[in-house]
């Protein structure tokens, strides 16, 4: 079944990075990306929904707006939900669940609203309702307007499907990709992370350089919809299947923690980018400039909220700045931190920082330099 209807598609983004995701969507050829608080709106048919889930690195999830109607009380919601064309999108054999939010509306009880919609789906379509269902319908009642959207992603899109090993305070893949894009990474230049943790920045950068789809190794909720065409989706997936060429490496990670290095190697192997990466155990003061053209140093060092003693952190940032200034002329530097004082302690010539971005409940900013002299 091919549904060529054009939908409004909402790409959920980390607040603060919506314009970066809009740029990514534009570069990928999606129609009229428009950034707004919390995400980016594009338009397209179901094949564009699949493509957005499969290929966009910065989107957290992909919602499709199915339709809207007015309702001023629960009986009206019940009646109109029963007339909604659920069968165009949902399958009668696939479980669903409904999440509702009510704002500035006469219907103010979100659980009762969700229940009415669930009952309408069960009784008109026959689809089972389950709190563990992979398919989630989002009902938003704002100023008495009921808008029904479907989460087509399932698990959050930062779960790429291959990463098995993570350390503490990991950077989500979606966030890492957006920070790389915000730092001007072009997919070609070398990248170095001197505190690489589980290797997220380097694996994302290597995949970007190869044109690998971030969602190639996982499943999506849209695979359970009436509108899903398995053959067409298989062709879309096949278009980005490439093998990493044999070295020399362009993506360099170091960390003083041997476990982090083992994790990074394992993750790069699972992602299929190991030939392009090189991971070395060592401290910041041991950091050596790779034998490549200059590129980007990107690092998410510890900051106060995550790990104890501030004094030690100031010394660490100071050492990092000194090493980069002495050994990395011609390279650009991007540091993600929650503390402007720590950024300043590096002594690096930062440009004005980017907007605050939520990273695991902490507001962080991207501090970057032009090429170091």
């Amino acid at each position: 079944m091919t549904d060529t209807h054009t939908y409004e598609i909402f790409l959920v983004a980390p607040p603060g990075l919506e314009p970066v995701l809009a740029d990514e969507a534009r570069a990928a050829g999606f129609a009229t990306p428009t950034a707004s608080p919390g995400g980016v709106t594009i338009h397209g048919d179901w094949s564009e929904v699949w493509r957005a889930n499969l290929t966009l690195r910065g989107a957290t999830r992909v919602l499709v707006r199915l339709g809207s109607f007015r309702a001023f009380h629960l009986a009206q919601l019940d009646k109109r939900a029963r007339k909604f064309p659920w069968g165009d999108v949902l399958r009668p054999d696939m479980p669903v669940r409904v999440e509702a939010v009510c704002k500035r509306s006469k219907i103010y009880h979100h659980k009762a609203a969700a229940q009415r919609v669930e009952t309408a789906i069960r009784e008109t379509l026959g689809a089972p309702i389950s709190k563990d269902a992979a398919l989630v319908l989002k009902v938003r009642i704002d100023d008495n307007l009921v808008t029904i959207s479907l989460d087509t992603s399932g698990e959050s899109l930062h779960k790429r499907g291959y990463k098995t090993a993570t350390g503490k305070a990991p950077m989500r893949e979606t966030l890492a990709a957006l920070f790389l894009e915000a730092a001007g990474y072009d997919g070609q230049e070398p990248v170095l992370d001197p505190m690489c943790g589980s290797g997220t920045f380097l694996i994302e950068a290597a995949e970007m350089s190869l044109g690998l789809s971030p969602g190639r190794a996982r499943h999506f909720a849209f695979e359970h919809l009436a509108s899903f065409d398995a053959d067409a989706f298989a062709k879309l997936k096949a278009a980005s299947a490439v093998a990493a060429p044999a070295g020399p490496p362009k993506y360099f990670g170091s960390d003083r923690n041997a476990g982090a290095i083992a994790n990074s190697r394992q993750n790069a192997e699972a992602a299929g980018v190991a030939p392009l990466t090189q991971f070395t155990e060592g401290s910041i003061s041991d950091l050596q400039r790779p034998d490549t053209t200059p590129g980007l140093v990107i690092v998410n060092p510890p900051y106060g909220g995550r790990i104890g003693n501030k004094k030690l952190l100031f010394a660490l940032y100071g050492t990092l700045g000194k090493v980069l200034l002495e050994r990395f002329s011609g390279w650009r530097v991007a540091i993600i931190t929650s503390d402007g004082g720590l950024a300043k302690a590096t002594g690096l010539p930062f440009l004005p920082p980017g907007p605050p971005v939520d990273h695991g409940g902490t507001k962080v900013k991207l501090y970057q330099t032009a090429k170091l002299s």
Side-chain angles (χ1 to χ4, degrees), residues 2-20:
T2 308
D3 176 2
T4 54
H5 181 84
T6 296
Y7 292 93
E8 187 176 295
I9 303 164
F10 189 71
L11 313 169
V12 179
L17 292 172
E18 298 96 341
V20 184

Side-chain angles (χ1 to χ4, degrees), residues 230-278:
D231 292 340
F233 184 56
K235 280 184 193 148
L236 191 62
K237 268 180 123 163
S240 92
V242 293
K250 278 174 61 178
Y251 303 98
F252 304 91
S254 63
D255 203 290
R256 64 180 189 180
N257 181 315
I261 294 303
N263 285 351
S264 294
R265 286 183 182 142
Q266 188 181 326
N267 291 332
E269 195 67 49
V273 298
L276 292 177
T277 61
Q278 183 180 302

